Amino acid sequence: PVIGGDFIFSVSPNGQIICLNKDGSLKWETEIEGRVIGNLIKDGDLIVTGTAQGDLISINANNGDIFQTIGVGETITSLLTTSTIEFVGGKVRAVIFGTVNGNLYCYNIYSFELIWQNSSAKGMIESKPLIINDLQRQNSEMQIAIILL
């Protein structure tokens, strides 16, 4: 679960996402296609998650409407993380995650525009990407991929 303001957001492996009020009552509920094997993240008015089918999905945190979906073409296997990074002359919020094929992706969290991709890992990336100042690290079964943001 993720706590955001006065709300609790939760996702089940079968794609049911719920938002509860502080008192535990249901605010909204939505279903997404696909099996969720990672986590939810909240950034501003968005909730973002990834699926085993390779979809990155953002949902309006206020009403549960699906905002956007993009297929990355491979199973998202790591936990998602966010960071503020420099892109096209400005700072943007980004979502970063790893995949079954050892790829590390970074997308603009609000437009799902691909910012960068790294394919240096030799195996599935399972751990959450770790952001340390401007250095981004990712553990995989075979090696550690290091990318400067």
Side-chain angles (χ1 to χ4, degrees):
V2 172
I3 298 173
D6 291 336
F7 306 104
I8 301 169
F9 303 91
S10 182
V11 63
S12 68
N14 67 356
Q16 179 185 29
I17 299 175
I18 62 170
C19 175
L20 301 174
N21 293 300
K22 254 179 159 174
D23 64 5
S25 62
L26 183 67
K27 179 176 180 185
W28 56 257
E29 178 178 6
T30 194
E31 296 264 341
I32 60 171
E33 289 188 33
R35 185 170 60 92
V36 176
I37 56 176
N39 60 328
L40 283 178
I41 55 172
K42 182 175 185 307
D43 197 272
D45 288 337
L46 290 181
I47 298 291
V48 182
T49 194
T51 69
Q53 290 71 25
D55 291 327
L56 186 64
I57 302 166
S58 63
I59 297 149
N60 183 315
N62 299 309
N63 59 24
D65 291 344
I66 294 176
F67 180 66
Q68 60 189 344
T69 302
I70 188 168
V72 297
E74 54 189 307
T75 300
I76 297 171
T77 51
S78 78
L79 297 177
L80 307 178
T81 193
T82 59
S83 183
T84 300
I85 63 171
E86 294 283 335
F87 182 62
V88 190
K91 292 187 178 203
V92 298
R93 292 294 293 159
V95 57
I96 302 166
F97 58 90
T99 67
V100 69
N101 296 328
N103 292 310
L104 194 60
Y105 290 96
C106 178
Y107 282 91
N108 179 314
I109 202 166
Y110 293 98
S111 69
F112 280 176
E113 179 181 3
L114 181 64
I115 297 172
W116 54 258
Q117 174 186 354
N118 181 283
S119 303
S120 65
K122 302 295 184 212
M124 176 171 55
I125 299 172
E126 294 180 275
S127 63
K128 181 178 179 178
L130 176 63
I131 309 297
I132 304 172
N133 295 328
D134 289 334
L135 179 68
Q136 198 255 271
R137 277 190 188 170
Q138 173 64 49
N139 292 321
S140 76
E141 289 180 344
M142 304 301 286
Q143 69 180 53
I144 296 176
I146 299 173
I147 295 103
L148 295 175
L149 294 180

